[in-house]
Amino acid sequence: MKFFVEYSIEKLNFTKLLNTFNREEIKIFSIKYTENTVTFCSKLSEKNNILAILNKSVYNNIGVTTISPKTIWEKNMFSFIGILIFLVIAYLPMVMVFDCRILCTDQELTKEIQVVLEDYQLDSWNTVSKEQENLLEKDIMKIEGVSFCEVSKKGGKLYLEVKGSLSPNVKEQKDCIIATKSGIITNMLVLSGTPLVAIGDYVEVGDVLIDGVVYSKEKDKFIKVNAEGSVLAESTLEIKENIYENGIVFSKTNETAIGREVSFFNKVLKNAKSPFEHSLQEKSTITVGVLPFTITTIKYTKCDYSFYESNFQVEEEICREKLMMQEIALASGGKIISREFVLEEFVGYKTITLKSLVEMKISDD
């Protein structure tokens, strides 16, 4: 398919020639002047008309060139070949992988990564899509001891940046680290992952402390990693212990008794009586007919009674010691900041409650 025709004539009387073209309504374009000549172009359909006008004129050495895909190719062949080679060289590294480099300081992990790479056949020219990069990251993250992995492609090379666990005792991969206790955070150490809370924040049991992802600026996305770290918080421990005064201590047996109580408009007409009333186990209520008679059935479990003499002051000190021993065990090496003993009195016994403020580890292992 031909495009247009290029003419070259002497510069002499070109203005007069233009006037002739205008009268004949012949359109020309791309007019270029040199010192002695002028060139211009026209559509292929105007070629015969223009040549007829030029042949009647005084012009000598008329040059006529038909521009077609073939002439364009012959004229610019080497330029086109150069552009094609450049595009191939520039495009191939974007889709092909010629080399794979593992950036990892742990030699043992590097060997295991190389085993994973064998399935991807990255030792020869190959294409690697984004989906394959993400799949490769996941496979490497499954290796025991890997806490971070990022796969990136630059200039035909695939880079695998891998970091081993900073905590050698961590074996299982964690998606996140959650709070095992409630409290105010006092200290955080994040080995791998993204912290979702800060020092001074109050957290409750089950809140996520460290998420198993990190943001990659290069890929503009979050990458999954193994969540590792330790979080300390001021948490309140509450422990209770009962102290019985001089009186009755009950010991349950398997023997049971049933008692019934009848009420009318919530007024008790008949009380339930049982020799075992100190150990109520079950209670159910039914209404009889249209009248608001209520019958309450109560099931009791028999208890053995025994009496003992005690010195309350001595028992209180012993109880405090027991509570402090339980506190030390529950704190699990935490720093005890403050203690508060609360005494409550009930019928037949008293309860001592130890409320302790302890700085302890609240992150799950």
Side-chain angles (χ1 to χ4, degrees), residues 77-121:
M77 179 177 61
F78 293 107
S79 298
F80 287 148
I81 292 175
I83 292 173
L84 181 61
I85 294 173
F86 172 78
L87 291 176
V88 170
I89 294 174
Y91 178 72
L92 277 181
M94 297 174 63
V95 295
M96 302 291 291
V97 172
F98 310 123
D99 187 20
C100 184
R101 296 191 179 183
I102 302 173
L103 307 178
C104 180
T105 57
D106 191 317
Q107 297 299 321
E108 294 299 322
L109 285 181
T110 301
K111 293 178 181 178
E112 295 188 47
I113 295 169
Q114 289 172 341
V115 173
V116 173
L117 289 177
E118 290 177 0
D119 296 334
Y120 288 83
Q121 298 180 351

Side-chain angles (χ1 to χ4, degrees), residues 49 55 63 94 122 153 172 226 246 251 303 330:
N49 295 332
N55 288 331
M94 297 174 63
L122 297 176
K153 188 165 53 180
E172 132 181 48
N226 183 33
N246 294 342
S251 175
C303 297
L330 291 174

Side-chain angles (χ1 to χ4, degrees), residues 53-288:
I53 294 172
L54 292 177
N55 288 331
K56 292 178 182 180
S57 67
V58 295
Y59 293 107
N60 296 317
N61 301 322
I62 301 172
V64 181
T65 304
T66 302
I67 306 299
S68 65
K70 181 179 179 181
T71 59
I72 293 174
W73 167 255
E74 291 174 349
K75 185 177 180 180
N76 302 283
M77 179 177 61
F78 293 107
S79 298
F80 287 148
I81 292 175
I83 292 173
L84 181 61
I85 294 173
F86 172 78
L87 291 176
V88 170
I89 294 174
Y91 178 72
L92 277 181
M94 297 174 63
V95 295
M96 302 291 291
V97 172
F98 310 123
D99 187 20
C100 184
R101 296 191 179 183
I102 302 173
L103 307 178
C104 180
T105 57
D106 191 317
Q107 297 299 321
E108 294 299 322
L109 285 181
T110 301
K111 293 178 181 178
E112 295 188 47
I113 295 169
Q114 289 172 341
V115 173
V116 173
L117 289 177
E118 290 177 0
D119 296 334
Y120 288 83
Q121 298 180 351
L122 297 176
D123 53 345
S124 59
W125 287 25
N126 206 343
T127 58
V128 179
S129 63
K130 286 290 183 183
E131 290 75 15
Q132 287 176 310
E133 290 181 27
N134 295 334
L135 183 61
L136 181 57
E137 286 179 359
K138 291 180 181 179
D139 288 343
I140 294 176
M141 283 297 300
K142 293 178 183 178
I143 300 174
E144 185 177 320
V146 173
S147 65
F148 173 84
C149 175
E150 180 178 8
V151 178
S152 58
K153 188 165 53 180
K154 296 179 184 177
K157 294 180 181 179
L158 196 68
Y159 292 89
L160 309 179
E161 184 180 356
V162 181
K163 294 180 181 179
S165 171
L166 297 178
S167 177
N169 294 326
V170 176
K171 295 182 179 180
E172 132 181 48
Q173 299 291 322
K174 282 186 174 290
D175 293 332
C176 62
I177 293 178
I178 64 172
T180 56
K181 298 180 178 64
S182 301
I184 299 175
I185 296 176
T186 58
N187 195 4
M188 288 189 71
L189 175 61
V190 181
L191 300 177
S192 179
T194 301
L196 301 185
V197 293
I199 294 175
D201 289 349
Y202 175 78
V203 296
E204 295 184 350
V205 177
D207 287 350
V208 178
L209 304 174
I210 303 174
D211 197 6
V213 295
V214 293
Y215 180 72
S216 171
K217 291 183 179 179
E218 182 177 343
K219 292 194 172 185
D220 191 24
K221 70 173 185 177
F222 285 92
I223 300 173
K224 284 190 175 183
V225 297
N226 183 33
E228 293 184 55
S230 177
V231 182
L232 301 181
E234 290 184 357
S235 188
T236 302
L237 286 176
E238 189 171 309
I239 314 166
K240 294 184 178 181
E241 186 77 22
N242 293 332
I243 304 172
Y244 293 97
E245 299 184 63
N246 294 342
I248 301 175
V249 175
F250 305 111
S251 175
K252 297 179 182 179
T253 68
N254 293 326
E255 188 177 348
T256 60
I258 300 295
R260 289 183 175 84
E261 184 177 271
V262 181
S263 302
F264 183 73
F265 281 107
N266 295 326
K267 182 178 181 181
V268 178
L269 301 180
K270 177 186 177 183
N271 288 317
K273 293 184 180 179
S274 170
F276 317 129
E277 60 185 354
H278 293 290
S279 183
L280 175 64
Q281 293 296 305
E282 296 178 11
K283 188 173 182 179
S284 60
T285 302
I286 61 171
T287 300
V288 180

Side-chain angles (χ1 to χ4, degrees), residues 8-26:
S8 175
I9 61 175
E10 296 176 357
K11 194 174 180 181
L12 182 66
N13 292 329
F14 183 67
T15 303
K16 183 178 179 181
L17 183 63
L18 287 177
N19 292 331
T20 303
F21 289 158
N22 289 333
R23 285 195 303 270
E24 299 293 333
E25 296 183 351
I26 297 173

